[in-house]
Amino acid sequence: MAKNIRKAVLLLAMLSVIVGMFTACSNKKSDDGRTTFTVGFDAEFPPYGYKDDSGEYVGFDLDLAQEVCDRNDWKLVKQPIDWDSKDAELNSETIDCIWNGFTMNGREDDYTWTPAYINNTQVFAVNKNSGIKKAADLAGKNVLVQADSSALAALQDEENTDIKALADSFGSLTQVPDYESALMELEAGSADAVAMDEGVALTKQAQNDNIVILDDVISQEQYGIAFKKGNDELRDQVWSTLLEMEKDGTVDKIAAKYPSINTANICISDNE
């Protein structure tokens, strides 16, 4: 009888160890105890972040973030934000980062940035039948631009005299909350052009063949992931994971899901 009791006790002890192992695995955390990673993004900024036909938030940046989370045993929290409120969201720590086609140029000292991961261009989108063939044709026209966007900053850049002179020639340069409303106005004919990110313009052009992208480039820039000033540890962890993803081909595999992402523009590298 005593022998059977000892066997039972031993079996229970072994089961306890096994259960403990599974519990540890299911509750695995990163070195700093982090279990979630909250990404702030503009939900109307395809192909980087947007809502698909099923109502899910998807996009190149969100897919990258999901893979980063999977490799660090974090849960991804996708947090759509008003673009004008992004700094308040980040500083209040409602979000961990701004990851959504966010231009670094001119903002280098405002955030703790990763190195650039995408090279991007700002362009003009017009209606196919508008008769507008080049940027000079926008003189006297109504041009829309997203508030607090890189396109707006470029058009208002006093140091870029050619682009500033072009902007001054417009009949109006009107700020709107997002590109969706801007493109709706363009389609309706209440606007003549939209100054916008090339990736977004290409995505919309694929959906609407009435949209034409002018050859004239407003500005060239780079996208980075922005963290709250001083949050170097989280920035470094995210970037090191992205480097692993680039080296094993995962970044290009994700990009292949989004035809308007030119893989030649992806610039993730540890040679910084």
Side-chain angles (χ1 to χ4, degrees):
M1 177 69 71
K3 189 175 181 179
N4 289 337
I5 292 174
R6 284 197 298 273
K7 285 183 178 179
V9 170
L10 180 60
L11 179 60
L12 287 172
M14 291 174 64
L15 287 173
S16 177
V17 169
I18 292 170
V19 170
M21 289 173 63
F22 278 108
T23 301
C25 289
S26 64
N27 292 327
K28 186 176 180 182
K29 301 178 182 179
S30 60
D31 291 341
D32 66 353
R34 174 178 298 278
T35 58
T36 62
F37 181 58
T38 303
V39 171
F41 69 102
D42 178 349
E44 296 181 348
F45 198 72
Y48 301 98
Y50 61 99
K51 185 179 287 188
D52 67 10
D53 293 338
S54 67
E56 295 294 320
Y57 291 121
V58 297
F60 177 63
D61 285 349
L62 293 178
D63 285 0
L64 291 179
Q66 183 64 67
E67 182 67 17
V68 166
C69 285
D70 290 346
R71 295 189 184 205
N72 285 284
D73 296 297
W74 300 333
K75 176 184 177 182
L76 174 63
V77 179
K78 303 174 183 179
Q79 183 61 54
I81 58 175
D82 290 331
W83 200 241
D84 286 348
S85 304
K86 60 186 179 298
D87 291 346
E89 298 273 6
L90 188 63
N91 291 328
S92 66
E93 300 183 356
T94 304
I95 58 176
D96 292 312
C97 71
I98 303 167
W99 191 346
N100 191 213
F102 192 20
T103 300
M104 305 170 65
N105 309 75
R107 302 185 176 104
E108 290 88 349
D109 297 329
D110 297 338
Y111 308 90
T112 288
W113 290 97
T114 63
Y117 68 98
I118 285 275
N119 294 313
N120 184 56
T121 302
Q122 297 291 335
V123 296
F124 292 107
V126 300
N127 273 323
K128 180 169 62 177
N129 299 319
S130 65
I132 299 171
K133 305 297 183 185
K134 56 186 183 298
D137 296 336
L138 294 173
K141 304 295 186 181
N142 178 25
V143 178
L144 303 184
V145 64
Q146 186 180 35
D148 198 30
S149 66
S150 298
L152 176 62
L155 291 168
Q156 293 179 333
D157 185 0
E158 298 286 350
E159 295 183 4
N160 190 336
T161 55
D162 290 342
I163 293 298
K164 185 62 169 60
L166 173 65
D168 289 343
S169 76
F170 300 159
S172 62
L173 179 62
T174 304
Q175 299 182 41
V176 293
D178 53 69
Y179 285 128
E180 286 293 334
S181 55
L183 290 168
M184 287 176 63
E185 290 195 44
L186 182 68
E187 179 73 13
S190 55
D192 299 298
V194 180
M196 61 194 305
D197 292 70
E198 182 182 38
V200 184
L202 287 168
T203 301
K204 294 301 182 181
Q205 186 181 52
Q207 299 168 354
N208 183 348
D209 59 9
N210 285 325
I211 294 176
V212 172
I213 301 170
L214 300 185
D215 291 335
D216 303 80
V217 170
I218 302 171
S219 65
Q220 294 180 323
E221 62 199 18
Q222 293 181 310
Y223 288 162
I225 308 165
F227 295 80
K228 186 177 180 180
K229 288 282 282 186
N231 197 355
D232 297 67
E233 183 177 356
L234 182 56
R235 183 271 312 274
D236 291 346
Q237 190 166 357
V238 169
W239 184 249
S240 65
T241 307
L242 277 172
L243 288 174
E244 294 172 1
M245 291 163 53
E246 174 65 18
K247 289 174 182 176
D248 66 24
T250 302
V251 171
D252 284 349
K253 187 180 295 185
I254 292 172
K257 296 168 57 179
Y258 302 96
S260 57
I261 297 289
N262 183 350
T263 54
N265 290 335
I266 296 173
C267 55
I268 299 172
S269 171
D270 55 6
N271 297 320
E272 298 295 335

